Amino acid sequence: MAAAAATATAQVGALGPLVGAIDQGTSSTRFLVFNANTSELLSHHQVEIQQKFPKEGWVEQDPKEILQSVYECVERTCEKLNQLNVDIANIKAVGVSNQRETTVVWDKLTGEPLHNAIVWLDLRTQPTVGRLLKRIPGQNKSFLKSRTGLPLSTYFSAVKLRWLLDNVPKVQQAVLDRRALFGTIDSWLIWSLTGGKDGGIHCTDVTNASRTMLFNIHSLEWDEELCKYKSVLHGVNERLPQWFFEIPMEILPKVRSSSEIYGLMKISPTLSSGALTGIPISGCLGDQSAALVGQMCFKDGQAKNTAISSELKSLPFLGMEQAASYFAIQAKSVLFCFQPAFSEHGLLTTVAYKLGREKPVYYALEGSVAIAGAVVRWLRDNLGIAKSSDEVEKLAAAVGTSYGCYFVPAFSGLYAPYWEPSARGIICGLTQFTNKNHIAFAALEAVCFQTREILDAMNKDCGIPLSQLQVDGGMTNNKILMQLQADILCIPVVKPSMPETTALGAAMAAGAAEGVGVWSLNLDDLTAVTKSEYRYSRWKKAVKKSMGWETSEPQGNGETSIFCSLPLGFFIMSSLLMLIGAKYISG
């Protein structure tokens, strides 16, 4: 027995090149280490990240807490590898995957953030978007899509940065003093991990840059006209006014490919993780692009869907006291295309990846859903109809139908394909027989219907029939959800054997970078109208009823409340009373 254990330990210690991946998400940070030869996950560590909610609709995070969580994850993972007798000197590169659109501004002289990070789902910029929209001919939200691939929306980084420049004196002064740096989470981490105020590298990659609304996805450069200068886009009668975003370009990070050496890690040699000092950070991808690489979506017509877990170590995403409008964890459906295609059906055009300086850039059509996994957490934390995500699955399985109940979880408006910020969540089709089991089933079904809407739009735009949908993320453990998704889409839903596809994609990009070369991206080296159609059409009817609840006009104090409408307040109260009654009837 002892001899066998010794042999196993020796085999672990004899592993070939390893690659680390920092996976920084909305709810947690992780550091994972993979075997570059086999893609095997050897060890990892995870730390939860807190969200702050200073006002209704505002969502922030502490950039220093995010950075500290990275250090902790790297340190703990290295300790675990040492316990496994794995030589961490075999780690040859580190990749970064990150939550996209979340915006940070910091002081390059002190290394201190000038404000909390504004998270991607934050709604404070609705007035900013409204003001900008009035400056566009015809108030066309899609006016910038020909350059950026994106509609004008609170979702993207440019309007968050504009809000910081307009409302935070420390940011304003730092810009005047030429001390300010802007970046999404990847930029903040890479700058900090490569030296920070002592020579840190200020950069981002094309996938993250393409989510700012300041990046020209054709030239692959920051768009000078969008940032500062007068623009003529489609003729003399359609002009962008001078100083449209008014973003000083010197605060923007340098844009690089998704796979190249950006800089070298600098970690205190007194720590176990200090052995990674001098290791190149050589991969960087926004989380959805990283998952696309990790799923090896390298061909036309491949699609993947990320359903992020609604529960991480049983830590609530939000406290019970928070308003429902805050609940939004992304789920994405991404269709891979070789050339930039512009959607006529509400999808985004985004950079999929560029895996090397001299490599071609590839694009994707993306549908962004505001609420997916978080609807399960909302059922658990706000309605209290289940104690865990697993219990929600059991409730749904017990009935196998919603009994005519439909759930549209538009807590923060609707993203693709509608881009309708006025929408709010509704549960309709309730009867005296509706109970918590039916509501649980309707919630899971809503996740699938949202994916179906996006894939329908993709098929209309690209005309490429999908033969299967590749899925990843925590919600793929829900068997009822996966079967529902297959039934509603009428195509196979395929779950990978390696569940950590986001981190794997970042590791692959890092290991394949020129100057590292320990990971091959050669595919040869990598391992009728149905009942669901009827229910899908009914759900789309429910979606239409969800729209127009919220107005864009601010209340007396300049803030927006989900209770600003008397009919909405009556609807919410009556719905809750019906739910309580249904719960009482169900025992």
Side-chain angles (χ1 to χ4, degrees):
M1 184 75 71
T7 300
T9 301
Q11 289 174 344
V12 171
L15 289 172
L18 311 178
V19 179
I22 297 166
D23 183 8
Q24 205 298 298
T26 310
S27 299
S28 71
T29 298
R30 300 183 302 161
F31 183 67
L32 308 91
V33 175
F34 297 89
N35 184 324
N37 292 333
T38 65
S39 301
E40 177 188 6
L41 175 61
L42 299 181
S43 186
H44 77 284
H45 189 77
Q46 179 173 337
V47 172
E48 304 295 342
I49 300 295
Q50 293 187 0
Q51 290 86 29
K52 303 175 186 294
F53 310 98
K55 295 183 181 180
E56 181 182 342
W58 292 29
V59 188
E60 300 180 353
Q61 291 178 317
D62 182 352
K64 294 177 71 175
E65 180 189 354
I66 291 175
L67 179 59
Q68 184 56 42
S69 72
V70 171
Y71 284 127
E72 181 177 347
C73 287
V74 173
E75 177 69 9
R76 296 294 174 260
T77 302
C78 288
E79 290 176 355
K80 293 177 182 178
L81 290 173
N82 284 328
Q83 292 169 6
L84 292 171
N85 197 30
V86 174
D87 187 355
I88 60 177
N90 286 334
I91 297 177
K92 304 302 181 183
V94 171
V96 175
S97 170
N98 60 285
Q99 53 172 310
R100 302 174 302 172
E101 298 95 18
T102 297
T103 299
V104 187
V105 178
W106 66 95
D107 189 320
K108 66 181 179 182
L109 300 182
T110 66
E112 292 293 314
L114 295 169
H115 192 272
N116 279 334
I118 301 180
V119 179
W120 55 269
L121 57 86
D122 187 282
L123 296 176
R124 77 185 67 188
T125 55
Q126 284 182 325
T128 303
V129 170
R131 288 196 302 271
L132 291 171
L133 195 58
K134 290 177 181 178
R135 302 171 70 183
I136 292 177
Q139 298 192 26
N140 180 7
K141 292 181 181 179
S142 298
F143 194 70
L144 305 180
K145 287 186 71 173
S146 62
R147 293 187 176 204
T148 67
L150 310 175
L152 186 60
S153 168
T154 61
Y155 189 15
F156 307 109
S157 304
V159 291
K160 295 175 172 60
L161 178 54
R162 184 65 259 159
W163 186 92
L164 289 167
L165 291 168
D166 289 338
N167 294 279
V168 181
K170 289 174 64 176
V171 172
Q172 297 167 354
Q173 190 60 50
V175 168
L176 291 174
D177 295 342
R178 297 184 179 273
R179 294 181 286 110
L181 295 179
F182 153 80
T184 43
I185 294 298
D186 58 304
S187 295
W188 164 245
L189 293 181
I190 292 174
W191 183 82
S192 300
L193 293 171
T194 56
K197 62 181 180 179
D198 299 317
I201 305 300
H202 187 214
C203 68
T204 189
D205 89 300
V206 289
T207 69
N208 282 292
S210 71
R211 310 298 294 191
T212 61
M213 213 159 40
L214 298 171
F215 186 69
N216 189 309
I217 61 173
H218 305 286
S219 66
L220 301 183
E221 296 176 344
W222 299 118
D223 194 302
E224 292 187 9
E225 292 180 323
L226 288 181
C227 289
K228 197 169 184 179
Y229 302 111
K230 186 177 291 186
S231 169
V232 180
L233 295 185
H234 302 294
V236 295
N237 295 322
E238 291 187 324
R239 293 176 180 269
L240 269 178
Q242 192 173 8
W243 320 113
F244 185 73
F245 282 121
E246 195 176 357
I247 304 296
M249 296 188 69
E250 61 266 22
I251 75 173
L252 303 179
K254 182 178 180 180
V255 182
R256 301 170 72 168
S257 76
S258 306
S259 178
E260 62 178 272
I261 296 176
Y262 313 113
L264 306 181
M265 294 271 283
K266 294 183 180 180
I267 299 179
S268 172
T270 61
L271 303 175
S272 298
S273 56
L276 299 186
T277 295
I279 299 300
I281 299 177
S282 52
C284 180
L285 293 146
D287 51 10
Q288 299 306 318
S289 290
L292 201 65
V293 173
Q295 289 269 27
M296 292 177 286
C297 290
F298 296 140
K299 297 180 180 178
D300 276 348
Q302 289 181 300
K304 51 80 60 180
N305 174 266
T306 298
I308 299 177
S309 174
S310 62
E311 183 176 23
L312 291 168
K313 294 185 179 178
S314 299
L315 182 72
F317 177 58
L318 290 174
M320 291 284 289
E321 72 280 2
Q322 300 298 338
S325 61
Y326 290 139
F327 282 79
I329 295 181
Q330 289 173 307
K332 306 290 188 183
S333 298
V334 181
L335 175 65
F336 179 71
C337 302
F338 273 74
Q339 298 297 327
F342 291 94
S343 174
E344 296 181 359
H345 300 90
L347 303 180
L348 309 178
T349 303
T350 195
V351 175
Y353 47 72
K354 187 178 188 294
L355 297 175
R357 293 183 182 181
E358 305 304 322
K359 299 292 185 180
V361 61
Y362 296 118
Y363 298 86
L365 284 180
E366 179 177 328
S368 303
V369 177
I371 303 291
V375 71
V376 175
R377 179 169 293 181
W378 186 80
L379 293 177
R380 184 195 69 191
D381 294 345
N382 282 41
L383 294 191
I385 70 172
K387 296 180 180 179
S388 68
S389 298
D390 290 341
E391 188 175 342
V392 172
E393 180 181 2
K394 292 177 182 177
L395 291 172
V399 289
T401 177
S402 70
Y403 200 75
C405 174
Y406 293 89
F407 195 158
V408 182
F411 299 145
S412 297
L414 290 168
Y415 285 1
Y418 302 101
W419 297 103
E420 181 52 68
S422 71
R424 288 297 180 265
I426 65 169
I427 302 174
C428 58
L430 298 173
T431 72
Q432 62 180 331
F433 300 108
T434 304
N435 60 38
K436 62 182 181 180
N437 301 66
H438 301 121
I439 293 171
F441 191 95
L444 296 183
E445 204 171 38
V447 175
C448 302
F449 285 144
Q450 290 177 99
T451 301
R452 167 69 186 271
E453 284 195 298
I454 289 170
L455 292 184
D456 282 354
M458 288 179 174
N459 284 330
K460 291 175 183 176
D461 283 322
C462 281
I464 302 174
L466 297 175
S467 58
Q468 66 182 32
L469 178 70
Q470 295 169 250
V471 297
D472 56 81
M475 287 192 74
T476 59
N477 294 323
N478 188 315
K479 295 179 181 179
I480 295 293
L481 179 67
M482 293 298 98
Q483 186 59 56
L484 271 173
Q485 190 70 86
D487 292 344
I488 289 170
L489 296 179
C490 300
I491 59 175
V493 172
V494 180
K495 179 180 177 180
S497 56
M498 162 56 71
E500 304 292 354
T501 52
T502 300
L504 178 62
M508 291 167 65
E514 183 179 356
V516 179
V518 298
W519 205 308
S520 172
L521 297 184
N522 188 329
L523 282 175
D524 294 334
D525 298 332
L526 300 170
T527 37
V529 178
T530 63
K531 183 178 179 180
S532 64
E533 290 290 325
Y534 170 75
R535 289 191 51 73
Y536 176 54
S537 66
R538 297 273 289 177
W539 184 82
K540 288 180 72 68
K541 183 178 179 181
V543 168
K544 292 181 180 179
K545 293 182 180 296
S546 76
M547 296 183 186
W549 289 105
E550 186 64 57
T551 67
S552 59
E553 294 299 321
Q555 300 301 295
N557 59 359
E559 300 175 15
T560 304
S561 170
I562 62 172
F563 298 103
C564 66
S565 165
L566 180 60
L568 176 57
F570 177 76
F571 175 81
I572 292 173
M573 291 302 298
S574 61
S575 296
L576 288 176
L577 287 173
M578 292 181 72
L579 289 173
I580 293 170
K583 182 176 180 182
Y584 176 78
I585 292 170
S586 67

